[in-house]
Amino acid sequence: MPPRRPEDRLRPAAACINEAIRQLIDQPDTDAVAQEYQRLLVAWGNATRSRLVKAA
């Protein structure tokens, strides 16, 4: 496996959100868990958005 480049690492906020998502996956499936999962996905997207390349 090739070494990771610095830009491949998640920002601290995104890493924390990612960990929260991983922990949430192990929870029973309820409406509250689904809502929290959706909220975390949006937060993770916002935290990683600057890493995306904009199309021309």
Side-chain angles (χ1 to χ4, degrees):
M1 188 164 151
R4 293 184 71 161
R5 297 171 293 176
E7 62 268 23
D8 289 340
R9 291 189 213 144
L10 289 177
R11 292 179 175 184
C16 290
I17 296 166
N18 192 38
E19 182 59 30
I21 290 171
R22 288 176 187 268
Q23 291 176 3
L24 197 65
I25 294 300
D26 294 331
Q27 301 299 315
D29 189 19
T30 65
D31 287 340
V33 169
Q35 289 174 354
E36 180 64 4
Y37 179 73
Q38 187 65 32
R39 186 190 72 76
L40 288 169
L41 285 181
V42 170
W44 188 84
N46 290 335
T48 60
R49 181 164 297 157
S50 64
R51 295 181 67 213
L52 298 177
V53 177
K54 294 184 180 180

